[in-house]
Amino acid sequence: MLYSPGLNAPVERPPRARRAAKQPKRCSECGFVGTSFPGVPASIFNTPTDLELLDIGLNAHEPAWLLGSDFDLNTLDFPLSNAISEWGHPGHDNVHSHEETYDDSSDHIDEAYREGLRYKLQPCPSNTALPSADFLNLCIKLYFVRFNPVFPIVHAPSFRPSSENAILLLSVCSVGALFMGSATAAAQGRKIFQTLNKANLSSWDTYIRRDAREWRSLVQASIIGQTFGMLSGQPDNVCMTESFHGTAIAWARQGGFFKIKGAPLPSTDEPSTSKEDVWRRWVDAEESVRLVLALYVQDAEFATTFHHEPLLRHTPEKLPVCNSDELFFAPSASDWYGLVKKDRAISTQPTHAHLTNPLPSPTVPTTRKAQMFAYSSLAGIVASIQEKRSSFLDDASKQYFRSLLLSWHNEYYKHIQGPRKNHINLLIFWHSAFMALYADSDLLERSIGRDGRHAAQEARGDVENWAASVEARRGVLHALLLLKDLEMLPIGLEPAIHVPKATFYSALVVYSYIKFKPSADAYAPAQDEVDAPELQVSGSTGALGSNSEKASAALLSPVEPSILCNAIDLLRRIGHWEISRKFASILQILLDDLTKA
């Protein structure tokens, strides 16, 4: 059986493919060994990376992330053990196997039945032991260096390990463990993730009774955990995170974070003695804004993954406005104040407003627009497309969304081009939005057997009609450009969270078109199709250039099964997420189907 990207139901597959793909071990079977990794050299913290592409100066505040020698590691055990103790679960010595021996023919509750109920209400005992402080320090380092730049919701310069943000710290460690490159570390990360979800659900009310910072840490930890589960490739984890998504939104609402519409910058005539306090107050507001933007992004991801309406209303005026990435990554209060002064100077210069632009613009200068705001704006368009497709996506709606996507590109492209500004891979997301507009991914998934052979046969007619349409060819063009953009990413840059699924859907669009198109001849796009408005804007053809002969040659080349080979290779090489390998295994089966005798 094969994991489905759209639902957690298995995909029916032929016996040969069933034998070829081996199921990974369940997390419960993986050993959660609390080793100290003595073979890891201390110099690993100074290992050079390609993070210089981002130019955000992370090493300036690196020591503050780490657990010092005076930090009590037992405080990190508190959220986990406390969650269990609040349920009143007895210790291991008192837990014994319970046999339900009561008489089920009785019409009343007796003591045996009551005891059975008591046993069922008790959670499973946990003897989870945290890894060593050295291991946790390495996880924290890798999180902020590799993952935080592509999903910036935690303010790295002011982050300090403490008992108040223990759940957030452990959630950071669970993701950071994936970047160590070892199966043992990844297993520890998964174990922390699974234990934290139970701890969050068991102890969230204790955080609500505390101050806003601890509440914000809880929501941040939940968002990071949701991302982990979403990209884990494990069907049970994906199902759990989708079910938990509404809870994370509710916590953010109850904490008042949706009411915060921005983090205003202070005036530059503040006394120098108050810089640190002003900076930290701004950080609190900025983190609150960014966690709400992250929830909008995740809402779009869940809606398109499970093919249902989003839980949030993705209207532009509802989005809070975050500040620039340069301000968010400033390593100190003085550096932050220097950037604020520069922004103030730029903001006094006259600007030409785009009165016809339907998207909101940040209040910070246009030269410093935040990628997180652009990300959530684009995610809102994608979520709106999915919501409309769930009811009826007509031609007028498609034209409206096409105009929105072109407006978004016109507003943000100049701020995201270049390797230093492309760490969230927004052009890949932009092309995937057009694919969502031109192709019904739910239909394509059903056609390859997600819901079984009978459902695949029922979907065949609709897929054949789609493959004969102009929209199918437009979807293929965007799929080709998405893969080209992905090829051009620096090898040391961690892909954003939407990249694995976007890569899979681009290959699925190509596969469905090749298999179901009316003519058996290889399809090569015509020049008039390449001249579509969204393919003529700046940068739409990635690093190839919009009107160059090289770009035209790439777009006009035949669409053939070798494109799936390219997508499979990219999925196997990009990032540290298991979902990429799962998607690659599905595409391998589809490739075998195209090339079989």
Side-chain angles (χ1 to χ4, degrees), residues 206-283:
T206 64
Y207 281 81
I208 288 179
R209 293 194 295 265
R210 298 174 185 174
D211 61 23
R213 290 187 178 182
E214 293 188 57
W215 198 333
R216 186 172 61 252
S217 294
L218 173 68
V219 180
Q220 287 173 318
S222 301
I223 292 173
I224 295 171
Q226 291 289 90
T227 306
F228 185 105
M230 187 191 309
L231 300 175
S232 67
Q234 303 293 330
D236 52 346
N237 288 345
V238 177
C239 182
M240 179 177 63
T241 54
E242 204 268 343
S243 303
F244 192 59
H245 177 54
T247 303
I249 293 175
W251 288 350
R253 289 195 187 282
Q254 293 169 7
F257 299 116
F258 279 91
K259 298 179 181 179
I260 303 175
K261 296 305 180 181
L265 297 176
S267 59
T268 56
D269 56 357
E270 294 275 354
S272 58
T273 55
S274 67
K275 285 183 179 180
E276 189 74 22
D277 292 337
V278 172
W279 180 51
R280 292 191 178 278
R281 287 198 301 270
W282 176 86
V283 167

Side-chain angles (χ1 to χ4, degrees), residues 391-541:
S391 55
F392 180 65
L393 185 61
D394 55 9
D395 291 338
S397 298
K398 291 177 182 178
Q399 182 58 42
Y400 169 73
F401 288 125
R402 189 181 297 114
S403 299
L404 277 184
L405 289 170
L406 289 173
S407 297
W408 182 93
H409 186 280
N410 179 65
E411 181 72 20
Y412 293 104
Y413 172 70
K414 57 183 175 292
H415 304 294
I416 62 175
Q417 58 181 329
R420 292 178 181 269
K421 302 178 181 179
N422 193 31
H423 48 280
I424 304 186
N425 319 133
L426 290 179
L427 281 181
I428 291 176
F429 199 26
W430 187 74
H431 285 300
S432 69
F434 275 103
M435 286 197 302
L437 189 62
Y438 294 139
D440 185 350
S441 56
D442 182 36
L443 173 65
L444 299 185
E445 287 182 22
R446 283 188 280 118
S447 71
I448 64 172
R450 183 196 68 196
D451 298 335
R453 186 170 301 174
H454 179 69
Q457 291 296 328
E458 288 183 339
R460 186 181 181 93
D462 291 336
V463 176
E464 289 176 344
N465 292 335
W466 169 81
S469 68
V470 175
E471 289 188 348
R473 296 192 290 274
R474 290 176 177 173
V476 168
L477 287 176
H478 282 283
L480 297 178
L481 291 172
L482 188 153
L483 293 174
K484 289 294 180 183
D485 280 334
L486 184 57
E487 288 176 350
M488 301 306 297
L489 292 182
I491 192 172
L493 195 64
E494 190 68 24
I497 63 175
H498 59 267
V499 171
K501 187 178 69 175
T503 307
F504 171 77
Y505 280 146
S506 65
L508 181 58
V509 166
V510 171
Y511 163 83
S512 301
Y513 182 79
I514 293 175
K515 184 174 179 63
F516 297 107
K517 62 185 173 64
S519 173
D521 299 332
Y523 163 68
Q527 186 62 50
D528 59 336
E529 294 173 335
V530 178
D531 291 338
E534 66 261 24
L535 301 180
Q536 295 304 307
V537 296
S538 300
S540 63
T541 52

Side-chain angles (χ1 to χ4, degrees), residues 19-30:
R19 290 193 302 268
K22 296 181 179 179
Q23 291 292 335
K25 295 176 64 177
R26 295 181 60 86
C27 292
S28 59
E29 300 171 1
C30 299

Side-chain angles (χ1 to χ4, degrees), residues 13-22:
R13 52 195 284 179
R16 179 179 61 83
R18 193 179 295 120
R19 290 193 302 268
K22 296 181 179 179

Side-chain angles (χ1 to χ4, degrees), residues 130-202:
L130 285 175
S132 66
D134 290 338
F135 178 86
L136 295 178
N137 281 333
L138 184 55
C139 291
I140 297 170
K141 162 82 173 184
L142 293 175
Y143 174 90
F144 283 114
V145 170
R146 303 302 300 274
F147 185 74
N148 202 51
V150 302
F151 205 59
I153 64 172
V154 179
H155 189 248
S158 63
F159 181 80
R160 300 293 186 273
S162 66
S163 59
E164 287 75 18
N165 63 7
I167 285 185
L168 172 59
L169 176 65
L170 289 172
S171 194
V172 163
C173 291
S174 69
V175 174
L178 298 180
F179 298 101
M180 292 184 65
S182 75
T184 302
Q188 294 209 9
R190 287 192 297 269
K191 189 66 176 180
I192 294 174
F193 157 75
Q194 292 171 342
T195 308
L196 269 179
N197 272 278
K198 299 173 184 177
N200 281 346
L201 287 173
S202 301

Side-chain angles (χ1 to χ4, degrees), residues 289-316:
V289 167
R290 284 175 177 258
L291 71 83
V292 171
L293 295 177
L295 286 173
Y296 276 101
V297 171
Q298 288 188 342
D299 193 48
E301 285 294 299
F302 281 121
T304 53
T305 298
F306 291 91
H307 313 294
H308 58 58
E309 299 87 350
L311 298 185
L312 295 170
R313 300 282 71 82
H314 290 260
T315 53

